[in-house]
Each structure stands twice: as C-alpha cells, then as structure tokens.
Amino acid sequence: MLAPTAEDPAAAARPELLALIGRTPLARITAALPGPHPGFFAKLEGLGAGGMKARAAVAMLLGARERGELAPGAPVVESTSGTLGIGLAFAGQAIGHPVVLVCDAELEPAMRQLLRAHGARLEIVERPAPRGGWQAARIARLRQVRAALPGAYWPDQYNNPDNRAGYASLAAELAGQLDHLDVLVCSVGTGGHSAGMIGPLRRQWPALRLIGVDATGSTIFGQPARPRLMRGLGSSIHPRNVAYRAFDEVHWVGPAESADACRRLARSNFVSGGWSTGAVARVAAWAARVQPGAVVATVFPDGPHRYLASIYDDAFTTAHGIDPARAATRPVEIPHPTAVEATGWARCRTVIDPLETAP
C-alpha cells in the first residue's frame, strides 16, 4: 500500500463524542481461574466507547493541540497492534483529525475492517524487523508515512507522558466505586494505565500494592525478547512510560494461561476480553486467593469480539500449540528477571528497569 497523501479533507470535529468516554462498570469476578478464589473487581473498559485506550488517545491529542504540536485538522499517525488504533479512531472523530495507523501483517482481518469502518487509514507492515520485531518495523514505516504528510503528528504512545495522564479519570472512577483497595493488577504494554493510575490511588490508599502483568517473551521487565503470540500485552522495546519503581512485583503470563482465563470468564461471568484481560484475570484471582481478605482490582482493557478467531477458536489454539486445559495453576517463583527465562506463568518480586541495569 502506498503512503497516504495529505489531500484528504479535514475531519469534522464531533466533541459531543467525548461525553461517551469512561464511566465503565465495575464487575465482581468470581469465576474459577482456574480454581476457587474470594473474588476480585474488574473495570470493564471494553464497554466504554473506544475501549480503555480512548482515554489515552484523547489526552494525547488534546495535549498536543494545547502545546501547538498538532494543528486543527492535521493528520495523526501512530503505530499500533490494534487496541490504541480504536482509541485513536475515536479521538480523531471527536477532536477532528484524520487518523493513519501503521499496523502489521498479524493484525486480524476483523480488526482491519473495524478500524477502516471507523475512518482510519491503514499502512500494513509485512515483515518484522531483525531487531525489535513488529514494533521496530512499524516505527520505521511510521517515519516514512509521517515524512509524506506535512504537519502530521505522531503521539508516540510508548513515550508520551500524556498517555499516562489520560488514565487519571480511570483512577478517579475506581476510587469512587470502591471503599478500599489493597492490590491493583495492571497489564503492561505501553505502561500508560499502570503509571497513570497508581499515583492517584496511592494518595488515597498509601499501602496499595501494584502487580504488573507482562507477556512471556516481552523485554519490558528485563526478560529476553522472543516472538509473542499475545497482541497488546508486553513489548519488544522499553517504553519510557513504564513506572518501574511503582511496581511491587511482576508476573509473566503465557498464552495458555490467558486463553484459559478468557474462556472461563466468558462461561461463568459473562464478561471476558483478549490476551491482556485473560492475563490480568489470572493474576488477580491468584492475588485474591493468596491474600485472603484483600480487596483486589484490575482493568479489563477490551472485550472479546476481536479475539473470536483466536482465543475462542479451538482450531487456532491447536494450531499454535495452546492447550488451555494444561495451563499453569500457579506461578513459578524466580529470584531475578535476568536469572531465568520465563516460558510460562512466572512471578518475580524484584522489579528492574532494564535500561538502568544494562552494562
């Protein structure tokens, strides 16, 4: 596909859409994951317009507008594995900007159709980069696309502090829905929602523990880079938005554990989602089980619909060697992120910033 030009008509702003962001329900999750547990709370961000990342997308575009980095009607170009793309498509409509998304060949056909239906233009990268995988390849294409679009703005979700700021509303909603909170479990991709939530929530509950949930094969917390099947969770780069010092521990979760949790949620709680949802649900249930009496909460970033042909498809899981029935029931303890490579569900109570500890 050729790089887009700047000849597209400026998008008309629809600021009334901004009223649709947030105010998502808080569900009590009691499904066996995989065994019984006392229950935990989950913010169902998939039921909000644009999903969880609409909060970050709107914050990044409005912040750029206020600083003069994004001119009215100028195009917005970003790299995404899909979820932020939906949020940016929403933000583009609401604020009035055409959106160009650089995606990769592993983006599901249904998600491509959905993004285009919402008015986004897609640039598809066909091969991963030798170093940095799909993310590095998307960033390289993004730079080419941006150069062909005068005045285009790149939010740079992994390093933009407005990403974090967008989740202040999520923290405020959760604080208003709970009387107390002991443990917050957050998936980590860009690092935005964990960094944006933990400050406000710890001001209300100073003893609040933060558990990060990463994917096996992700480099965020110091593990070696490996190909990752789970989209939207983990990273092949080191996002500057990750608030490493805020985490009390980190868990790496594999596809089998996530897929099993998603299917159990769908069968027993009638709420579910994608890879990130399954991973945080697995860890939140574990946290509730090992800390009796603790109030545990997490965020389900999206719903299940984009994953019908993957997580919920037996042919897909079989083809990729995923057997949800054989998923781990508890994490393996490792002493340090660099001591052992996590190939399945693992837990570490030492959290490092790989860029600070690199030789």
Side-chain angles (χ1 to χ4, degrees), residues 31-193:
L33 293 170
H37 58 91
F40 61 89
F41 293 98
K43 280 285 279 181
L44 306 184
E45 286 290 281
L47 297 181
M52 179 182 77
K53 293 201 173 181
R55 299 179 190 261
V58 167
M60 289 189 289
L61 297 197
L62 289 179
R65 288 282 293 264
E66 291 171 3
R67 292 187 298 271
E69 299 170 3
L70 174 61
V76 174
V77 185
E78 181 60 289
S79 161
T80 179
S81 61
T83 307
L84 180 73
I86 294 293
L88 275 175
F90 173 88
Q93 286 190 26
I95 302 170
H97 294 275
V99 173
V100 182
L101 301 172
V102 181
C103 308
D104 58 64
E106 293 188 351
L107 183 67
E108 305 90 341
M111 181 57 78
R112 299 186 195 196
Q113 294 165 359
L114 183 59
L115 289 168
R116 288 180 174 129
H118 285 308
R121 298 183 62 176
L122 304 188
E123 279 281 320
I124 306 298
V125 174
E126 298 297 338
R127 294 181 183 84
R131 292 191 64 182
W134 286 116
Q135 283 172 305
R138 293 199 307 260
I139 295 300
R141 176 71 67 85
L142 182 149
R143 297 183 190 280
Q144 297 172 352
V145 171
R146 187 185 181 196
L149 288 170
Y153 173 69
W154 174 25
D156 190 9
Q157 60 168 322
Y158 291 93
N159 303 303
N160 188 334
D162 288 332
N163 180 342
R164 303 193 302 264
Y167 294 107
S169 62
L170 182 54
E173 289 175 26
L174 186 60
Q177 290 167 313
L178 292 173
D179 295 327
H180 181 71
L181 184 60
D182 296 297
V183 181
L184 178 65
V185 178
C186 287
S187 59
V188 184
T190 69
H193 85 275

Side-chain angles (χ1 to χ4, degrees), residues 191-203:
H193 85 275
S194 52
M197 294 180 72
I198 192 60
L201 291 177
R202 276 192 175 146
R203 284 193 286 275

